Amino acid sequence: NRVQQTQQTAKSYFRHKAMIALVVILLCLLSFLIATQVTSVVVTADEAMTARVKYCLDSETAEQGQEYLSRFFTDRFIQSGQLDELRARFENVAVNSYNAVTDIQWVWTWPWGFSASVKVVETVDRIAGEVTTSDGSVGTIPTWPSGTYSLKLKKQGGAWLIDDMQLVSAQATP
């Protein structure tokens, strides 16, 4: 009877330890999946914001148009005209240089999800170049809409793409 009780206690002990190990393994797996998703979203958001600036300020990049943008943005977002509207502001500017800084502030996504939210601060300043006007006079370079943006990303075909972008708060840039 004593041997049987010792066997039951040993089984119970190892069952308890196995459950704890299983929970720890599942938590590690969940943490890994979340980290993978968040890293992928951060890289995509950063690259997309850089691509947006290049598309609007760099004439060589703008020539690539839809093909270039479709690597970072959904067709719905591209068709919304936000990028073309911003590009039109700099249409008469031959940009020589600029300083662009993107700072990802916050990211949220589930490891099994197909959408993500990102808060990013984008600053584009020191835009240097020449402005050509229709009458040949010298114009001023427009300011970039720097500030805090809220991004909504969707996973399509295994890749994250920006589906929506809203300026939450504007930032004054010289």
Side-chain angles (χ1 to χ4, degrees):
N1 197 12
R2 189 148 173 85
V3 172
Q4 200 174 23
Q5 189 177 13
T6 304
Q7 286 175 342
Q8 283 292 61
T9 305
K11 283 181 184 177
S12 176
Y13 174 79
F14 285 114
R15 201 175 306 132
H16 179 71
K17 294 299 179 185
M19 289 298 289
I20 290 174
L22 181 64
V23 168
V24 168
I25 289 169
L26 289 175
L27 286 174
C28 288
L29 181 62
L30 183 64
S31 297
F32 174 76
L33 292 173
I34 289 173
T36 302
Q37 288 281 67
V38 167
T39 301
S40 184
V41 167
V42 166
V43 167
T44 299
D46 187 50
E47 288 179 353
M49 296 303 279
T50 301
R52 175 176 171 253
V53 173
K54 281 184 179 179
Y55 175 73
C56 295
L57 298 180
D58 182 10
S59 58
E60 291 177 23
T61 304
E63 289 174 11
Q64 297 173 10
Q66 181 84 19
E67 180 186 328
Y68 177 70
L69 295 174
S70 64
R71 289 187 264 165
F72 308 103
F73 302 96
T74 62
D75 289 337
R76 186 183 81 77
F77 182 77
I78 294 170
Q79 300 305 321
S80 74
Q82 284 186 33
L83 295 169
D84 291 328
E85 189 178 302
L86 184 56
R87 173 149 174 65
R89 290 175 67 177
F90 295 91
E91 194 171 55
N92 298 328
V93 181
V95 176
N96 298 328
S97 65
Y98 56 87
N99 180 44
V101 178
T102 303
D103 183 24
I104 308 292
Q105 298 283 310
W106 180 81
V107 177
W108 179 255
T109 184
W110 289 105
W112 51 83
F114 293 94
S115 65
S117 297
V118 179
K119 181 176 153 187
V120 60
V121 176
E122 178 190 58
T123 306
V124 179
D125 57 4
R126 291 186 252 159
I127 301 172
E130 295 178 21
V131 179
T132 55
T133 59
S134 58
D135 62 3
S137 63
V138 177
T140 59
I141 297 174
T143 59
W144 185 268
S146 296
T148 303
Y149 286 87
S150 172
L151 310 178
K152 301 292 182 209
L153 287 84
K154 283 188 176 178
K155 196 174 229 183
Q156 291 182 346
W160 288 103
L161 300 173
I162 292 181
D163 190 51
D164 187 41
M165 178 185 301
Q166 299 297 322
L167 180 63
V168 176
S169 64
Q171 169 185 338
T173 55

